Amino acid sequence: MARPILWIVVPCYNEEQVLPLTAPMFLQKVQELTDGGKISKNSRILFVNDGSADKTWSIIRELAEKDEHYIGICQSRNRGHQNAVLAGLMEAKDRCDITISIDCDGQDDINAMDRMVDEYLDGAEIVYGVRAKRDTDSFFKRFTAETFYKLMKTLGADVVFNHADYRLISAKVLQHLADFEEVNIFLRGMVPLVGFKSTTVSYDRAERLAGKSHYPLRKMLALAFNGITSLSVKPITLITAIGAGFSFIGLILMIWAVVKAILGQTVAGWASTVCIVCLLGGIQLISMGILGQYIGKTYLETKHRPRYIISARTWEAETRHYLEDDLS
C-alpha cells in the first residue's frame, strides 16, 4: 500500500502570536510521520488565513518561502471558522489522500495524529479527535460545553460528544462532503451525515500557547443554535408539541369556565388572566423567533452565495515568481 499524502488543514484568524510557535510543531509532526513510513514525503501543512487583520498572512507566506511543506491560502474576507476549515478541506480534496483539520492555537494534542493515521491505515475513513477529560476547565466552562453537546444531540444534530473540529477525513469522504451545498455550515454535524467507517481517538487538551481564544461563550451559543437550526427541524416539532399541549389545556380551562359560569360561581380573576396572557405571549414570541430563524436560513440558502472566496495561494505566488525569472 502506497503511503498516503496527508494535508494538515489549519484555519487561522489573527494568529500572529501563536503561529510562529505552532508551525514548527506541525512541521516536526509531518517529518516524524514521514520518517516512520506512515505518510508520503509529499505531505503538506495548509494554513487557511480567514481574513486576518494582523500579520498572519505575511507569516504564512514567509513560512511557505522557507519550507515547501508549508503552503497557504487566503480568503478574501473573514467568513468564520467553519467556512475556513471547509475552504481548506475543499482545496485539499483533489491533492491528497487524507486531511487532518486542527486549530492553530496548540491546544489539541498534535501527537494524536499518529493514532489517527494508524486508524486510517486500518480502514477508517473518518477519525474524530475526542477530549478524554475536562479536568483543566472551570466548572462553568465544563458545564456549558457538556450541555452544548447534549443539547445538540437532544435536538437532532448528530454530533460526536466532546469533539470539536480536530479530525481526520479521507479524500473519498471529502468528495461526498463537497456535495453538501448548504450555506449554513456546521461541520461537526455535517461530517457524520456523510457516513463511511469512522472511529474516535481520545486526547488531552492543553492550554492555548499564546493569544486569546476566538470562541467565547457568546460565539459558542451562536454556533450551537446555528448547528441545531441547520441540521434539524426538531425545534419546530417541539414548538408544535408545546402548542398542541397548551391548546389541550386551554380547551379544558374553557370547559371549566363554562361550567363555572352555568353554576354562577365565576369571579374576577385579574392575576390569573395576566399570568396566562404573559405566558402564552412569551411562548408565541419565542416560537416566532425560531420559525424566523428557519425562514432566514432558507432565504440565505436560495441565494446560493459562495461559502468562501480564495483571494491568494502561496503556490500561485511561487509560479508567478518562476515565470518572471524565465521572462527576464
Side-chain angles (χ1 to χ4, degrees), residues 190-206:
M190 290 169 61
V191 174
L193 291 176
V194 181
F196 292 95
K197 183 180 178 181
S198 65
T199 187
T200 61
V201 165
S202 61
Y203 68 96
D204 293 325
R205 190 172 170 86

Side-chain angles (χ1 to χ4, degrees), residues 224-248:
F225 193 74
N226 181 60
I228 293 168
T229 54
S230 297
L231 298 168
S232 172
V233 295
K234 206 164 186 178
I236 295 180
T237 305
L238 185 61
I239 290 172
T240 304
I242 293 173
F246 273 96
S247 295
F248 179 74

Side-chain angles (χ1 to χ4, degrees), residues 1-10 29-30 33-34 37-46 71 85 88-102 112-127 166-175 197:
M1 180 179 179
R3 297 179 183 179
I5 299 174
L6 165 67
W7 276 33
I8 300 176
V9 177
V10 188
K29 178 51 61 181
V30 167
L33 290 170
T34 302
K38 293 184 178 182
I39 63 173
S40 167
K41 63 180 181 180
N42 295 320
S43 298
R44 296 291 183 264
I45 304 159
L46 172 62
I71 55 177
V85 175
L89 295 177
M90 293 300 101
E91 195 77 12
K93 67 180 176 65
D94 296 322
R95 297 179 171 92
C96 67
D97 300 302
I98 51 176
T99 62
I100 295 180
S101 57
I102 184 172
M113 290 187 184
D114 297 72
R115 288 176 286 149
M116 287 182 173
V117 174
D118 288 339
E119 292 290 350
Y120 167 76
L121 295 174
D122 286 340
E125 299 288 346
I126 306 172
V127 185
Y166 187 20
R167 68 178 77 85
L168 178 148
I169 307 179
S170 71
K172 180 194 297 185
V173 174
L174 289 177
Q175 296 295 335
K197 183 180 178 181

